[in-house]
Amino acid sequence: MKTEFTPTRAALLGGAALALALTAMPSGAQDHTEGAAQSYSPSLTTLAEINVEIPGRKPDDPVITDEEFQRAANIYFERCAGCHGVLRKGATGKPLTPDVTRDLGYDYVHSFITYGSPAGMPNWGSSGQLSEEDVDLMARYVLMEPPAPPEFGMPEMKNSWKVIVAPEDRPTSKQNDWDIENLMSVTLRDSGEIALIDGASYEIKTIIKTGYAVHISRISASGRYLFVIGRDAKVVMIDLWMETPAPVAEIKIGSEARSIETSKFEGWEDKLAIAGAYWPPQYVIMDGATLEPLKIVSTRGNVYDEQTYHPEPRVASILASHYKPEFIVNVKETGKILLVDYTDLKNLKTTEIEAERFLHDGGLDSTHRYFMVAANARNKIAVVDTKEGKLTALVDTEGQTPHPGRGANFIHPVFGPVWSTSHLGDDSVALIGTDPEHHPDQAWKLVDSFYALGGGSLFIKTHPNSDHLYVDATLNPDEETSAGVAVFKISEMTADADPEFTTLPIGEWAGIADGQPRVVQPEFNKDGTEVWFSVWNAKDKESAIVVVDDKTLELKKVIKDPRLITPTGKFNVFNTGKDIY
């Protein structure tokens, strides 16, 4: 087991530079002139598109015009809110409210914005990411009271809600000859679309307009409906039974969001959907056939450990329990995992589990009983028993900023069943034992950790039919590293030595000459015989999807098409719907 980590340059990639990056910024001085972030649009948010109401001015406020204030608010929402919070109350980063910034003074704040800090503040000015004029503007802006984006409640949701095809007008049986279970729903980030690609023929079956920068795709329990949610908080529901699958309902649930899920417990299949928002901090439960909003619940409240009020605890990942009629809702800033009983929305019952702060992404273990979620800024994995409804363990990954996606479950030759995560902040892979019945000594403990290709990993993946574990290095600033993938052979892993890995040159195989394409998110086909990789380039350059034979690790197919604009996340319908990862 590796006991010491050497953070790579990936630890220096904080801020709002890449669409898939965490809002939690790892520590380390940050030079934004050298990272791959410059190849992409810096915007991670749609809040920057909103004109905010300027708070009441005070006599001692800095001189700033209305136009300058709006520009400063846009810059803040794009680049700063992920760490410091929409209301500047602090999240992963420190508070930037006037009671703090005015004590520091204009000169200090100006210097801090310009040069950054070893604790993780980007050097926005010296890197050239902000002009001298913008640094001056932002230094003045944070001395003033912060504006609040508008709330988004039931009237706004109802106004945005559209039933495009009523349930009674939809097909009563499948009207196409597509192998729906082997479809890939592929996010086309910058075109505001998804592509549905056939997993056998590699044909792009259709392109569907969605919201901006779809974050995830989720499948209803029956496998019929595909739900996507964009960063603009727009949910689109797609009927895969139609002759050509198309949207049948849509809704906006806020100004910015990340998560969507549907009910999966027996007897509740396809009946409800739930979406969680970053702004306003809330989740909404909807009708599973029409997306009609039924129940909005705010997540504002007290941080679990400090017991202090937080005004904007964002809703991160949401999963559906297989053991109870419950949704598993992760509230990032307060460190709480909510088990929401959806059987009676009028008398809503919620189990509130104190876990750890800055909850982000995660998935279920191989039995679907235990939920594993990364508290990324605290370098821990929280384990929840969804059957008993309580916290089982908090596991330190010994790596920096775990980012598992949904994680990867496999049988280790020595440790038995494990769940694994890679990390954004260093090049480590952590394995956590998940079998309390047959391997009690290893259960809910870090049983092994070892080096992968490089830091900046976003996703780790395997499949029950595969003997390979794939780890990307998407955010690594080194071009060759970010264009490759590490592959470990599971059957050859031991307890005594770090496993060796093979590097697949996915970017080279894609044959893209222009730009700096980055490889992201391994995703298996239904049978676990192929693994697909997005080769994600700038929006004005060529991108691709590369398909690899899992048995031989040889190139099988390169999918290229002018319509594949910034492909990022890919979600196989069967594996996603059945929580196989």
Side-chain angles (χ1 to χ4, degrees):
M1 178 184 292
K2 178 169 66 65
T3 57
E4 181 178 356
F5 294 100
T6 304
T8 68
R9 289 295 305 278
L12 313 182
L13 282 172
L18 290 169
L20 289 174
L22 288 174
T23 53
M25 217 169 17
S27 62
Q30 303 190 22
D31 184 352
H32 283 225
T33 62
E34 298 180 13
Q38 279 55 256
S39 297
Y40 301 92
S41 166
S43 177
L44 265 180
T45 177
T46 56
L47 285 172
E49 300 171 3
I50 297 173
N51 283 330
V52 295
E53 183 177 343
I54 302 174
R57 296 181 184 270
K58 299 178 180 178
D60 58 346
D61 279 348
V63 175
I64 189 169
T65 68
D66 290 355
E67 182 179 355
E68 285 180 321
F69 190 93
Q70 291 293 342
R71 172 169 169 73
N74 291 351
I75 293 173
Y76 181 84
F77 289 143
E78 284 182 347
R79 300 174 183 262
C80 315
C83 282
H84 297 285
V86 170
L87 302 179
R88 305 208 317 247
K89 298 284 188 179
T92 308
K94 299 292 185 182
L96 294 176
T97 45
D99 59 314
V100 175
T101 56
R102 292 207 172 196
D103 283 347
L104 297 173
Y106 170 87
D107 290 339
Y108 181 95
V109 172
H110 186 282
S111 178
F112 202 65
I113 295 171
T114 301
Y115 298 108
S117 80
M121 173 69 177
N123 54 325
W124 295 112
S126 62
S127 70
Q129 288 294 289
L130 292 181
S131 66
E132 291 184 13
E133 292 78 11
D134 283 342
V135 171
D136 165 67
L137 173 61
M138 297 309 295
R140 287 181 282 143
Y141 173 77
V142 298
L143 296 177
M144 300 180 66
E145 290 292 333
E151 297 294 321
F152 205 96
M154 187 62 76
E156 290 81 9
M157 287 191 198
K158 285 288 184 73
N159 285 337
S160 73
W161 172 48
K162 297 178 183 178
V163 178
I164 301 166
V165 181
E168 61 269 22
D169 296 327
R170 297 173 196 167
T172 56
S173 61
K174 187 167 169 283
Q175 299 298 299
N176 58 62
D177 60 357
W178 299 11
D179 182 1
I180 289 176
E181 290 186 340
N182 203 24
L183 278 178
M184 291 283 187
S185 175
V186 180
T187 295
L188 306 179
R189 176 192 181 269
D190 290 316
S191 65
E193 298 169 320
I194 63 163
L196 295 182
I197 304 179
D198 183 82
S201 69
Y202 315 115
E203 175 190 358
I204 299 176
K205 305 293 284 187
T206 189
I207 303 285
I208 298 173
K209 283 287 183 184
T210 58
Y212 167 73
V214 165
H215 191 64
I216 58 171
S217 297
R218 288 293 180 261
I219 313 299
S220 67
S222 68
R224 173 175 181 172
Y225 292 109
L226 170 67
F227 296 79
V228 299
I229 189 166
R231 291 172 184 266
D232 57 358
K234 182 179 180 180
V235 178
V236 178
M237 178 182 179
I238 298 162
D239 187 354
L240 299 178
W241 277 14
M242 296 171 70
E243 184 175 359
T244 299
V248 293
E250 64 180 45
I251 190 173
K252 272 180 64 71
I253 58 98
S255 301
E256 186 171 358
R258 295 295 188 274
S259 50
I260 182 77
E261 182 60 289
T262 67
S263 53
K264 292 182 178 179
F265 189 70
E266 184 178 359
W268 288 88
E269 297 91 339
D270 293 22
K271 289 191 176 181
L272 296 171
I274 182 173
Y278 269 24
W279 187 268
Q282 61 192 25
Y283 63 86
V284 57
I285 299 175
M286 300 162 284
D287 182 271
T290 66
L291 295 183
E292 179 185 3
L294 304 175
K295 183 83 171 183
I296 302 172
V297 181
S298 173
T299 54
R300 291 181 170 103
N302 287 0
V303 177
Y304 89 94
D305 51 356
E306 296 176 352
Q307 293 294 292
T308 54
Y309 179 75
H310 199 293
E312 51 170 309
R314 296 169 288 183
V315 178
S317 53
I318 300 177
L319 273 80
S321 172
H322 292 257
Y323 278 81
K324 293 180 180 179
E326 292 179 340
F327 290 122
I328 307 165
V329 179
N330 295 279
V331 186
K332 186 183 288 280
E333 277 74 23
T334 54
K336 296 176 181 178
I337 299 171
L338 310 179
L339 305 181
V340 181
D341 183 333
Y342 50 70
T343 59
D344 184 356
L345 300 187
K346 288 291 185 181
N347 303 284
L348 195 68
K349 296 178 182 178
T350 301
T351 300
E352 182 179 284
I353 297 175
E354 296 183 351
E356 184 55 280
R357 295 172 69 178
F358 311 114
L359 299 167
H360 190 70
D361 56 345
L364 299 167
D365 80 311
S366 59
T367 70
H368 292 163
R369 174 173 173 173
Y370 296 94
F371 174 61
M372 322 274 286
V373 60
N376 54 57
R378 296 291 174 88
N379 303 326
K380 295 182 186 299
I381 300 295
V383 183
V384 169
D385 184 342
T386 65
K387 182 178 180 180
E388 298 296 329
K390 62 183 181 181
L391 184 71
T392 298
L394 283 173
V395 185
D396 193 323
T397 68
E398 297 185 5
Q400 188 176 38
T401 319
H403 191 281
R406 288 167 287 178
N409 292 297
F410 62 92
I411 307 297
H412 190 281
V414 178
F415 303 119
V418 298
W419 178 92
S420 55
T421 181
S422 53
H423 292 79
L424 263 173
D426 62 32
D427 48 1
S428 67
V429 174
L431 308 185
I432 297 172
T434 61
D435 185 11
E437 182 177 353
H438 301 103
H439 296 78
D441 293 341
Q442 283 82 41
W444 320 127
K445 297 176 183 177
L446 180 70
V447 296
D448 201 4
S449 60
F450 46 81
Y451 292 107
L453 180 62
S457 176
L458 289 175
F459 296 100
I460 186 169
K461 185 66 61 137
T462 189
H463 188 277
N465 295 336
S466 174
D467 191 33
H468 292 124
L469 179 68
Y470 297 85
V471 185
D472 66 22
T474 310
L475 301 191
N476 196 287
D478 177 73
E479 293 187 20
E480 184 176 353
T481 301
S482 65
V485 170
V487 186
F488 297 87
K489 197 169 184 65
I490 293 172
S491 60
E492 295 180 356
M493 291 182 177
T494 69
D496 304 321
D498 286 357
E500 296 181 355
F501 61 85
T502 299
T503 301
L504 300 185
I506 303 296
E508 178 184 328
W509 286 348
I512 297 174
D514 193 18
Q516 185 185 341
R518 313 176 72 75
V519 175
V520 63
Q521 201 208 28
E523 179 77 352
F524 278 86
N525 65 348
K526 174 187 174 183
D527 298 328
T529 57
E530 296 175 353
V531 59
W532 294 36
F533 301 90
S534 293
V535 184
W536 168 29
N537 210 347
K539 63 183 178 181
D540 59 345
K541 301 185 186 299
E542 185 180 45
S543 292
I545 292 173
V546 170
V547 182
V548 173
D549 186 299
D550 178 63
K551 298 295 183 185
T552 65
L553 299 184
E554 294 177 351
L555 174 64
K556 195 165 185 180
K557 179 70 175 180
V558 177
I559 305 173
K560 289 186 178 180
D561 190 289
R563 296 172 293 174
L564 289 180
I565 299 170
T566 56
T568 52
K570 300 167 301 306
F571 303 88
N572 174 266
V573 167
F574 182 82
N575 292 332
T576 301
K578 302 300 182 183
D579 288 314
I580 298 172
Y581 33 78

